[in-house]
Amino acid sequence: QVRLEESGGGSVQSGGSLRLSCTTSGYYSSRYCLAWFRQAPGKEREGVASIHSDGRTKYTNSVKGRFTISQDNARNTLYLQMESLKPDDTAMYFCAAANWGTAECQFIPLIFPFWGQGTQVTVSS
């Protein structure tokens, strides 16, 4: 059984930092995409960052230069380091996993079959 579990969310002031973690279990694939999505109240779920099994990373424009996605394969853990947080970053953050080919990861929620329950990030001004 595949399981993804996020942690590390919280409340910070604008300009602060947080590191989100996503531990995975039961998921094994030689070629995959792991991604972070977020969803604010009343808004659609949007892709934030992704990492391909070959190491390629991708970020949505609004977080480039501020967020960094990484993974620790030995610990089966995905991370999202978030710096210079803004109130617009406030959302529920989800990690997701999908088997993939060689193409770049895509921020399309429907093609990710495995999801965590989410962790809340709140940034106050």
Side-chain angles (χ1 to χ4, degrees):
Q1 182 179 359
V2 177
R3 182 174 179 179
L4 283 69
E5 185 171 2
E6 303 93 339
S7 62
S11 296
V12 297
Q13 290 190 328
S14 182
S17 302
L18 282 174
R19 187 176 80 158
L20 306 183
S21 300
C22 172
T23 56
T24 65
S25 60
Y27 179 68
Y28 304 99
S29 178
S30 61
R31 192 174 289 168
Y32 56 81
C33 278
L34 300 176
W36 288 97
F37 288 79
R38 67 186 179 187
Q39 189 166 18
K43 295 187 177 181
E44 293 187 353
R45 191 167 296 192
E46 66 166 344
V48 175
S50 67
I51 186 165
H52 192 277
S53 50
D54 65 8
R56 283 177 290 163
T57 58
K58 179 179 178 178
Y59 299 90
T60 193
N61 286 339
S62 63
V63 308
K64 285 180 180 177
R66 299 189 299 121
F67 290 11
T68 303
I69 189 171
S70 62
Q71 60 180 328
D72 183 337
N73 289 332
R75 293 184 169 85
N76 294 325
T77 303
L78 177 71
Y79 300 102
L80 185 68
Q81 179 68 41
M82 305 186 294
E83 307 282 351
S84 303
L85 282 161
K86 305 174 181 180
D88 284 348
D89 295 318
T90 295
M92 184 73 78
Y93 283 70
F94 302 88
C95 61
N99 295 338
W100 214 265
T102 57
E104 183 182 54
C105 297
Q106 297 296 320
F107 291 142
I108 303 173
L110 285 177
I111 58 180
F112 284 82
F114 306 114
W115 291 84
Q117 294 299 307
T119 186
Q120 178 67 37
V121 172
T122 302
V123 185
S124 58
S125 58

